[in-house]
Amino acid sequence: MGLLAGRGGEVAGIIRWPEQAGDLLAAGTEPVVCGLESAAGAEVAPG
């Protein structure tokens, strides 16, 4: 994740709980809170 963000790419990581965001933020990754079991396809892969 850090390599992609370091190259200027936009990186997102799916987490279940907001409390898990710290590690992703530290790596330059945008945390996205999403429960994959109940998420609609557009929530996981928009556009």
Side-chain angles (χ1 to χ4, degrees), residues 1-42:
M1 289 183 277
L3 293 175
L4 291 173
R7 293 181 183 170
E10 293 182 28
V11 182
I14 296 174
I15 56 175
R16 181 175 280 183
W17 309 111
E19 297 82 18
Q20 299 170 310
D23 289 337
L24 293 177
L25 289 168
T29 302
E30 175 188 352
V32 177
V33 178
C34 180
L36 292 177
E37 295 86 12
S38 61

